[in-house]
Amino acid sequence: MSASLTDAKSAELYARAVQRLPGGVNSPVRAMRAIGRDPLFVDRAEGAELFDVDGNRFVDYVCSWGPLIHGHAHPEILAAISEAAARGTTFGAPTAGEVEIAEEVARRVPGIDMLRMTSSGTEAAMSAIRVARAVTGREKLLKFSGAYHGHLDGLLAEAGSGLATAGVPASAGVSASATANTVIVPWNDGEAVVRACAEHEFAAILAEPYPANMGLVPPFEDFLQLLRNQADATGALLVFDEVISGFRVGPGGAQEREGVTPDMTVLGKIIGGGLPAAAYGASREIMEHVAPAGPVYQAGTLSGNPLAVAAGLTTLRLLDEVAYARLAATTETLVHGLRDAAGDVPVQIVSVPGLLTVFFSAEPVHDYAGAQACDLAAHAAWIRALLARGVYAPPSQFEAWFPSLAHTPEHLERTLEAAAAAFAEVKG
Ligand SMILES: *Cc1c(COP(=O)(O)O)cnc(C)c1O
């Protein structure tokens, strides 16, 4: 039985939006083109629930693509933002909150003693690369196909998510010289990494330790250690982009969970608690290359913004052991339930605590090529069927679901019921 959505008000807003915003949105994946429909405009959200302008209610598994580990409009986070706002929204001068959040992050993340805040993950990745080049005196970067590190020119090559979804191999407007120093190898291909490291002198080996922008494709056992060993053997810095995995898969991110400490770490999403903040960090020795302590220039008018810091700090302080155990249990319930719901529909359900992807593939997915070989049409139909049944899941095969601490057993039950019906509909 098929279900349908009332979306007259969203359609009306979208018609206006495309006149003033390219594609009607401010970031491509929001347009829902990969699932062949127009976007739904959000009115408000609370906890794990999203309400659109037509009054439809959804269980939300996008959660702003990662920042909202406590769900929408968490009262303590809202209170922290309001209190900060009442004291002034930005000063361009240091505040106590910046020291506190840096201390909080350093306490949790093994590879970080010192950090610099930025306003987006893109900026943080771009700046980390600048530091890596300054520290090593080298220019080349090793990147994995399907990994996304933000929209900086040098890394917009086989960059997953929005790009994979749009079917654009890289991006127009990126000069050949900008990516000339970027070498791309398949994820989970140890031999290719060893070969590339023998052929090139890299400033940095850059990886999402749990890649989640080609769908979630965790590393093979010992693959991250191989990256660590190759970096050590060749004098490259190992840079982990934990913009998604940081503070999500555990207090110290993927690096702590996998026991592989990178030279530099890029953070974003959760660290801003739903406001614009990100960071890059490393040992004191590496970070003291950054101005004004050192010669690497990097700055930002709104970097370490007091509202974003208040939201991020409160978000981190609410993440205790109990919270991580609960998020892991929520993820497990979803994974098992989705597996049951799928029946004989050929899917691969991949997860780490706090992240999961349902790949429409009969074969295990180990890299970007595997993700691209999925049945994208069946996935799109399934996501549309979920939407029609009140579940708002990432509208692309190349993204992960973001369960949150606000998802209750009742939300999960609703989700799994909808999932079973949606699988049945896809099967026809
Ligand atoms: C989202 C993301 C970024 C970019 O962060 P923005 O804040 O969107 O610029 C970088 N790396 C990873 C792994 C991401 O998921």
Side-chain angles (χ1 to χ4, degrees):
M1 193 182 65
S2 83
S4 67
L5 272 180
T6 312
D7 58 5
K9 287 184 180 164
S10 276
E12 198 181 303
L13 278 168
Y14 184 59
R16 282 166 57 196
V18 292
Q19 299 302 315
R20 297 295 179 193
L21 304 165
V25 292
N26 278 307
S27 197
V29 75
R30 299 177 194 172
M32 292 193 170
R33 288 192 180 182
I35 62 162
R37 61 155 298 138
D38 295 339
L40 298 171
F41 282 69
V42 176
D43 177 43
R44 67 193 171 87
E46 192 183 336
E49 298 193 348
L50 192 69
F51 298 84
D52 73 8
V53 290
D54 288 283
N56 298 302
R57 178 177 75 147
F58 302 96
V59 182
D60 183 17
Y61 291 98
V62 172
C63 288
S64 192
W65 303 100
L68 304 178
I69 194 164
H70 299 293
H72 295 276
H74 188 286
E76 281 182 58
I77 298 169
L78 293 188
I81 295 170
S82 303
E83 272 169 40
R87 292 198 301 272
T89 55
T90 175
F91 312 111
T95 56
E98 292 163 85
V99 182
E100 288 170 37
I101 198 169
E103 289 171 349
E104 192 77 38
V105 171
R107 200 157 39 238
R108 288 167 189 242
V109 184
I112 296 185
D113 295 327
M114 193 177 258
L115 60 80
R116 167 62 58 84
M117 295 198 76
T118 63
S119 295
S120 71
T122 297
E123 264 182 278
M126 178 183 81
S127 308
I129 289 165
R130 186 176 298 156
V131 172
R133 284 175 165 157
V135 168
T136 59
R138 299 172 174 184
E139 298 204 348
K140 289 187 178 180
L141 306 170
L142 182 66
K143 175 194 177 288
F144 294 96
S145 57
Y148 180 64
H149 304 293
H151 58 89
L152 52 153
D153 282 10
L155 295 179
L156 268 186
E158 296 204 28
S161 293
L163 293 166
T165 298
V168 182
S171 166
V174 173
S175 66
S177 65
T179 52
N181 283 317
T182 309
V183 175
I184 295 160
V185 297
W187 179 243
N188 275 328
D189 187 340
E191 278 176 30
V193 173
V194 171
R195 225 177 304 125
C197 287
E199 264 172 48
H200 306 275
E201 290 205 322
F202 291 115
I205 298 175
L206 203 63
E208 291 178 74
Y210 291 157
N213 286 290
M214 49 177 144
L216 177 68
V217 186
F220 288 161
E221 206 186 333
D222 296 335
F223 186 68
L224 297 179
Q225 187 59 50
L226 177 141
L227 300 184
R228 179 68 275 173
N229 296 347
Q230 285 297 305
D232 289 342
T234 62
L237 297 191
L238 180 61
V239 181
F240 278 178
D241 180 343
E242 298 226 46
V243 169
I244 284 180
S245 55
F247 312 114
R248 172 167 289 277
V249 301
Q255 58 189 266
E256 183 187 45
R257 219 169 155 260
E258 297 286 331
V260 176
T261 306
D263 298 298
M264 300 192 76
T265 303
V266 182
L267 297 168
K269 299 192 169 115
I270 288 176
I271 198 178
L275 267 65
Y280 61 104
S283 64
R284 178 161 300 115
E285 187 194 347
I286 289 176
M287 288 307 288
E288 284 190 337
H289 283 76
V290 179
V296 179
Y297 189 72
Q298 189 269 311
T301 301
L302 294 177
S303 295
N305 173 262
L307 274 59
V309 165
L313 197 50
T314 307
T315 293
L316 295 185
R317 286 177 176 159
L318 288 167
L319 288 170
D320 55 15
E321 261 176 53
V322 178
Y324 283 112
R326 199 149 55 78
L327 187 61
T330 295
T331 311
E332 276 301 293
T333 302
L334 277 171
V335 168
H336 290 300
L338 287 168
R339 242 176 228 142
D340 285 347
D344 57 4
V345 178
V347 293
Q348 308 290 322
I349 303 177
V350 182
S351 72
V352 293
L355 291 169
L356 71 94
T357 292
V358 180
F359 285 114
F360 276 66
S361 167
E363 305 297 326
V365 174
H366 298 312
D367 57 18
Y368 189 35
Q372 286 175 306
C374 287
D375 186 342
L376 303 183
H379 176 268
W382 185 61
I383 297 293
R384 284 195 309 268
L386 281 175
L387 265 183
R389 291 171 175 80
V391 175
Y392 190 94
S396 161
Q397 179 69 94
F398 306 105
E399 302 284 0
W401 290 39
F402 294 95
S404 81
L405 291 159
H407 287 81
T408 63
E410 193 261 330
H411 290 126
L412 304 186
E413 207 172 295
R414 252 156 67 192
T415 302
L416 295 174
E417 231 167 77
F423 275 122
E425 186 177 315
V426 169
K427 232 167 49 165

